[in-house]
Amino acid sequence: MTRNHARLTPLAESLPSSVPFVGPETQERLRGRVFAARLGANENVFGPSPKAIAAMQIAASETWMYGDSESYDLRNALANHLNIDPAHIMLGEGIDGLLGYLVRLIIGPGDKVVTSQGAYPTFNYHVAGFGGDLVTVPYSGDHEDPDALITKATEVGAKLIYLANPDNPMGTWHDATRVQRMINSVPAGCLLVLDEAYVEFAPEGTAPDLLPDDPRVIRFRTFSKAYGLAGARIGYAIAAAPLITAFNKIRNHFGICRISQSGALAALEDQDYLRDTILNVAHARTRIDEIARENGLTTLPSATNFVAIDCCRDGDFARRLLGALVERDLFVRMPFAAPQDRCIRVSAGRPEDLDAFAAALPEALKVAQAD
Amino acid sequence: MTRNHARLTPLAESLPSSVPFVGPETQERLRGRVFAARLGANENVFGPSPKAIAAMQIAASETWMYGDSESYDLRNALANHLNIDPAHIMLGEGIDGLLGYLVRLIIGPGDKVVTSQGAYPTFNYHVAGFGGDLVTVPYSGDHEDPDALITKATEVGAKLIYLANPDNPMGTWHDATRVQRMINSVPAGCLLVLDEAYVEFAPEGTAPDLLPDDPRVIRFRTFSKAYGLAGARIGYAIAAAPLITAFNKIRNHFGICRISQSGALAALEDQDYLRDTILNVAHARTRIDEIARENGLTTLPSATNFVAIDCCRDGDFARRLLGALVERDLFVRMPFAAPQDRCIRVSAGRPEDLDAFAAALPEALKVAQAD
């Protein structure tokens, strides 16, 4: 009956009502029990700068006003911080929101997009949502494979290539030289989507120099990870000015929360706190590695705020282990695709979060081994 | 050079980099001076409930977590408040964000959409953004014309009809009987988009009963207006469950700010404060009417938090008056289309805001008359 009035487009009709990720609150409702540690969504448990919290508390009383549609102050502060012109920056409702806009700008039915098998599902969701044709190449040694991505993009005439550096869900990374070489190889007619959501956690020399006039690449960064503001929904794109301007053709101009703009600005200004966070995260990675090894597992090196623990068995084993951890009130996730799905992915937690993980892991492993 | 790599879709290529509204902050930057009174965006200067502000201040320290992708607590509280099933409710990044999703679900290139000449530009922006073909009918006596909208929709085979009740930018409204009669006349294959952003300000008997299984209409409401949370970006749609579910095909699932969800929930729970706001707004409307009459102008009756002041001359005169008010640091707007553009539109302000307006208006009128 509804369909007689709400006539969906053929594309919309064909799409599943899917969600790229089932959120922890949803899982808690399904379980009927809250998680003891929230280590599954690569949220930054160390939280934002107290100065960002204070700024948001002040902004809360100004919420009767729409946010600035240009995010002028934040955009200029970012430009200053990155030493580029603000014309190269577009703010949006998280990287997820911006990826949706980018895909909408470029991808229509049948257009080809290349990504790695098991890379970011939300990007794939947007590609499917605009009728794009997703082509995948395998990871190579738990790294995304720049050469294979470029080769495949050339072969199929792709309009977009997706690369996360550092990578999610594996935490691995390529150095700036390798990524710049990839940028230099992007074929004509194709744009590299370089997702740098985790880049602040990575070693010096991971991000290629910002050459924002380069038309071959658009880079995405966020306040959700290192800056600890996942719930605020602020990401940004860095690209050549004409491409940045194109977002104004379609974006929800007043879509960014006013409070979030204030929080992100204050977070950006507190680089000391960011440095502390990065240290805290590095300690947490070390601790996750220790816990894994105490249990006979290994870990992958990580340039992010999470660690992929290699269970050294197959995906079914890792899924059983994940299930047993979730049963023990640990919110963790794992890669979707083989062979990376032999791992589970644990976000950097506070000492008490990782103590809970350390306490649960031995029993969970026993359950997974017994099944 | 950019276009060689970022190959926009033909539709995206054809779109202007437009913005439906130039925000007040943008205007302030262009002017080099802040506004003395912010009465142009129909923001609610009385602000949200203090309980909402307090809830957001608490939530600010929890912003390291993504918001609940299902907005479960808020959605259920709304369902309870409206006495409908939560399956009929979809939360989104303001009505603007939800309108974008709806248009994306239903409108493809060449699909027809009917609205009134001079009605909500952001809806038109989304229709253009997905290649839809917008067909307009005139207002009738400063009211949107339900019969003309239905007739035109039938004639052109429209997939969507837009009606705001109460109307923006005129503030006029139809009673529930008239709107229900319109719903009953929606032709097969067509969906009525009933924008009720201002409905809390309207007299009893303005909103038709919620019959959320009715497949002929989708209704939009918001926390931006009566609840005073424009900057938080929370709107919601009410419709038949299959259409609500369809939003999950394409929406940015984690797009709503976590702080905003908390604020909206607390605002909803403070209905006493809402009643006070509605009284304050009613007083402000009366005051705007007095100011207008003291200056030889008239006003249109309004069921919203703004008043259209009829300058009783043509659009050029009203535009000159608006310019003179802006020069005197009053942020106000006016209808875009004739003949409604003989009016200026003033949002309900606090006494001090309206005092500033009252002080500026006589001089501004002199300037407009002299030009």
Side-chain angles (χ1 to χ4, degrees), chain B residues 279-291:
Chain B
L279 281 178
N280 286 331
V281 165
H283 291 145
R285 283 197 307 249
T286 302
R287 176 88 178 105
I288 295 170
D289 179 64
E290 288 165 2
I291 296 167

Side-chain angles (χ1 to χ4, degrees), chain A residues 4 15 29 70 189 233 249, chain B residues 4 15 29 70 189 249:
Chain A
N4 288 340
L15 295 171
R29 286 189 290 271
E70 301 183 312
R233 315 314 299 124
K249 295 167 176 264
Chain B
N4 289 341
L15 296 171
R29 286 188 291 271
E70 301 183 311
K249 295 169 176 263

Side-chain angles (χ1 to χ4, degrees), chain A residues 1-2 4-9 12-26 29 38 41-45 47-48 53 56-58 60-61 63-70 72-73 93 96-97 103-108 111 125-126 129-130 157-159 186-191 213 215-216 224-225 228-233 240 242-243 245-260 333 350, chain B residues 1-2 4-9 12-26 29 38 41-45 47-48 53 56-58 60-61 63-70 72-73 93 96-97 103-108 111 125-126 129-130 157-159 186-191 213 215-216 224-225 228-233 240 242-243 245-260 333 350:
Chain A
M1 190 180 179
T2 297
N4 288 340
H5 285 277
R7 285 186 285 159
L8 269 52
T9 65
E13 193 66 60
S14 75
L15 295 171
S17 288
S18 67
V19 48
F21 290 103
V22 179
E25 283 86 357
T26 304
R29 286 189 290 271
R38 187 160 160 141
N42 302 340
E43 293 160 328
N44 179 345
V45 298
I53 294 174
M56 292 189 288
Q57 288 173 334
I58 291 168
S61 60
T63 326
W64 63 270
M65 292 182 273
Y66 287 101
D68 176 15
S69 63
E70 301 183 312
Y72 183 90
D73 294 339
E93 305 92 330
D96 285 357
V103 172
R104 178 174 163 195
L105 282 172
I106 293 187
I107 299 302
D111 285 338
Y125 166 81
H126 289 309
F130 290 99
K159 293 179 82 176
V186 171
C190 185
L191 179 72
D213 283 316
R216 298 170 297 190
S224 297
K225 303 300 180 186
L229 287 169
R233 315 314 299 124
L243 179 56
T245 302
F247 282 81
N248 283 325
K249 295 167 176 264
I250 57 159
R251 72 188 182 99
N252 184 6
H253 291 268
F254 291 87
I256 302 181
C257 177
R258 187 178 185 96
I259 302 172
S260 303
R333 286 193 176 127
R350 292 160 298 201
Chain B
M1 189 181 179
T2 297
N4 289 341
H5 284 276
R7 285 186 285 159
L8 270 51
T9 65
E13 192 65 61
S14 74
L15 296 171
S17 287
S18 67
V19 48
F21 290 103
V22 180
E25 284 86 358
T26 303
R29 286 188 291 271
R38 187 159 160 141
N42 301 340
E43 294 160 328
N44 180 344
V45 297
I53 295 174
M56 291 189 287
Q57 288 173 334
I58 291 168
S61 61
T63 325
W64 63 270
M65 292 182 273
Y66 288 101
D68 176 15
S69 63
E70 301 183 311
Y72 183 90
D73 294 339
E93 303 92 332
D96 285 358
V103 172
R104 178 174 162 195
L105 282 173
I106 292 188
I107 300 302
D111 285 338
Y125 166 82
H126 289 309
F130 290 99
K159 293 179 84 175
V186 171
C190 185
L191 178 73
D213 284 316
R216 298 170 297 190
S224 296
K225 303 299 180 185
L229 287 167
R233 315 315 299 123
L243 179 56
T245 302
F247 282 81
N248 283 324
K249 295 169 176 263
I250 57 160
R251 73 188 181 98
N252 183 6
H253 290 268
F254 291 87
I256 302 181
C257 175
R258 186 178 186 95
I259 300 172
S260 302
R333 286 192 176 129
R350 293 160 298 200

